[in-house]
């Protein structure tokens, strides 16, 4: 199998952490591509017509894309229980919350990176950060007991989302007023799977 990836994408990191946590890291070849929203890599478009990463090219089936699909496939392949049936919908909702944080955080980067400076909308950027902030508050008030339970895809997604905020939006100080979530993240970030997938740039 081949995993198409680009840069420090939190969605790619979620897949990489899942590969580590399910002992499948060495079963996948990692291929670097360009994932610009303006000029995506032809190889990426061939694998995923939407032109987004990650994409998992399989040897025995169609290419899978979207981190949620890929992680679900990898968990099923390894039978590691990252989508526990007993709390399946809670887990999926926490994963979706993490993905929402990632999506808004990435869109802020895109707004600043790909728009001409005179057309960057600070109002739009603040609107995206408001989504992040509301999601963090929801996790802090509703999901801490889940995060302190057995590891599942919700844990992996949230850890990758929070680490991406540190990486790209550290000046926003997401930890302020969210001590319990910050403490949880510090513990999860020390896992070997997180250390091994820290972005370089």
């Amino acid at each position: 199998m081949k995993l198409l990836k680009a840069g420090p994408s939190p969605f790619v990191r979620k897949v990489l952490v899942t590969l580590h946590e399910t002992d499948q890291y060495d079963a996948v070849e990692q291929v670097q591509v360009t994932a610009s929203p303006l000029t995506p890599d032809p190889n990426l478009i061939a694998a995923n017509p939407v032109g987004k990463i990650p994409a998992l090219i399989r040897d025995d089936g169609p290419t899978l894309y979207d981190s949620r699909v890929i992680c679900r496939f990898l968990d099923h392949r390894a039978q590691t229980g990252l989508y526990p049936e007993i709390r399946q919908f809670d887990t999926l909702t926490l994963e979706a919350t993490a993905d929402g944080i990632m999506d808004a955080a990435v869109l802020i980067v895109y707004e600043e990176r790909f728009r001409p400076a005179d057309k960057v909308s600070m109002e739009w950027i603040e609107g995206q950060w408001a989504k992040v902030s509301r999601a963090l508050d929801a996790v802090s008030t509703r999901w801490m007991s889940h995060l302190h339970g057995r590891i599942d895809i919700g844990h992996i997604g949230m850890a990758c989302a929070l680490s991406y905020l540190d990486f790209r939006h550290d000046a926003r100080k997401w930890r302020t007023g969210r001590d319990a979530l910050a403490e949880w993240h510090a513990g999860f970030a020390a896992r070997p799977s997180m250390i091994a997938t820290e972005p370089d740039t």
Side-chain angles (χ1 to χ4, degrees), residues 78-95:
Q79 294 293 298
T80 42
L82 292 178
Y83 295 83
E85 186 174 351
I86 193 170
R87 59 181 195 278
Q88 178 180 176
F89 293 105
D90 289 348
T91 297
L92 291 172
T93 300
L94 184 57
E95 181 189 18

Side-chain angles (χ1 to χ4, degrees), residues 8-9 13 162-170 198-201:
S9 162
R13 190 177 188 189
L162 297 177
S163 292
Y164 186 74
L165 296 183
D166 285 338
F167 185 72
R168 289 298 193 207
H169 305 290
D170 186 54
E198 288 181 354
D200 295 326
T201 55

Side-chain angles (χ1 to χ4, degrees), residues 185-201:
H185 176 252
F188 199 96
R191 293 179 72 89
S193 61
M194 292 292 289
I195 294 172
T197 58
E198 288 181 354
D200 295 326
T201 55

